[in-house]
Amino acid sequence: WQGVPDAWRYAWANLRLAIDWGSAEHRAQLPADLLHQMRLVHNFMEQLSDHAGMWYGNWHTAASAARGILASLRPWLEAYQPGPAMRLPRANIGVHFPTPTGRSIQVSTDGHIAAAATLGNGVELPVLGFGVWQLPADGTTYQSVLWALEAGYRHIDTAQGYGNEHEVGQAIRDSGVPRKDVCVVTKLSNPKEYPNARARFEQQLQLLGVDYVDVYMLHSPGDSKENREVAWRQLEELYDEGRV
């Protein structure tokens, strides 16, 4: 029961956000009595606060109604149509992260995800990025990246080893966000391919459907210093050619 309050309150808060920030046409499909029941359950949760004992003694009176509401909303959520990107109120206190060069990067704490850090070569890298590790390439990656771009993310991180670069590229193309405004990061994950880094890079560009990537990395040092150096030289060439 220690985790029950957080789990239900988290789910309910996100459910209410989904409704509040859905498109006007999609919200209009929800009956008024269902929204009223949601408010009642929400108010009851607020009364219970985060006290596990209160939930243990009282949640049974609302659990059935809460589950019924979730079941009723399932078709609506599965056909979800987001409205305008959510804008959070500004309350930025900033968090500073040190870097190996001694500089510090200030990360916004006000929901502003466009903050960028200037790299050594003058390129601006959005500090907060959307990563797609462990997102399956069954449409999930595509939809997730599309929503991330709609929400304002401009830094998308993928890799050869994630197996979803093609869905990342398709989402970027379908988003309507100009390619130049999106920082695309990918990586060479298989150390056995380090001697042929350029060839793998070409294949990754084709999967992504782009002419260049903004950041390209070796995903791990591998187990061969010689292969790592060969790969690094090829990456330097790609950088000099303007393809990274």
Side-chain angles (χ1 to χ4, degrees):
W1 280 93
Q2 292 298 323
V4 170
D6 286 342
W8 269 104
R9 292 169 74 192
Y10 177 81
W12 218 253
N14 278 281
L15 186 60
R16 294 196 65 181
L17 281 174
I19 292 173
D20 290 345
W21 292 94
S23 67
E25 296 80 8
H26 200 51
R27 281 202 314 272
Q29 299 174 18
L30 296 174
D33 61 328
L34 184 63
L35 296 176
H36 177 66
Q37 292 175 39
M38 279 198 64
R39 285 192 292 271
L40 291 178
V41 173
H42 180 81
N43 291 338
F44 186 64
M45 289 181 177
E46 290 297 301
Q47 293 175 23
L48 298 180
S49 186
D50 60 354
H51 194 285
M54 292 287 289
W55 280 75
Y56 179 78
N58 298 280
W59 180 237
H60 66 278
T61 62
S64 179
R67 293 191 180 94
I69 291 171
L70 291 175
S72 299
L73 283 170
R74 181 180 293 275
W76 185 85
L77 289 169
E78 290 176 345
Y80 188 68
Q81 299 174 14
M86 183 169 59
R87 295 291 180 263
L88 301 179
R90 294 291 182 254
N92 188 22
I93 57 174
V95 177
H96 289 271
F97 289 86
T99 68
T101 60
R103 297 182 301 167
S104 64
I105 299 173
Q106 181 171 344
V107 177
S108 172
T109 57
D110 61 1
H112 181 55
I113 53 181
T118 302
L119 304 181
N121 59 358
V123 173
E124 287 198 343
L125 176 72
V127 174
L128 297 181
F130 183 80
V132 296
W133 180 48
Q134 293 187 328
L135 289 183
D138 59 0
T140 302
T141 298
Y142 171 82
Q143 187 62 72
S144 299
V145 172
L146 200 61
W147 280 338
L149 292 168
E150 289 176 356
Y153 280 91
R154 293 297 181 265
H155 172 173
I156 308 297
D157 180 279
T158 184
Q160 173 196 15
Y162 300 170
N164 51 23
E165 289 171 304
H166 60 292
E167 291 200 8
V168 169
Q170 188 64 53
I172 292 172
R173 289 191 294 278
D174 292 350
S175 70
V177 178
R179 169 66 186 91
K180 64 181 179 61
D181 294 339
V182 182
C183 179
V184 179
V185 178
T186 193
K187 313 168 196 75
L188 173 53
S189 302
N190 185 358
K192 293 182 180 179
E193 295 190 66
Y194 283 6
N196 302 303
R198 175 181 283 272
R200 170 52 63 182
F201 175 79
E202 298 288 356
Q203 295 175 27
Q204 289 177 270
L205 285 190
Q206 291 181 15
L207 287 170
L208 287 163
V210 297
D211 298 323
Y212 68 96
V213 296
D214 299 88
V215 178
Y216 192 61
M217 294 182 278
L218 301 179
H219 213 160
S220 73
D223 56 6
S224 169
K225 178 182 178 182
E226 291 74 18
N227 287 348
R228 185 165 62 248
E229 289 180 348
V230 170
W232 188 259
R233 298 303 179 192
Q234 294 178 63
L235 266 60
E236 288 183 329
E237 292 173 1
L238 293 168
Y239 174 80
D240 292 338
E241 294 166 11
R243 308 184 71 195
V244 176

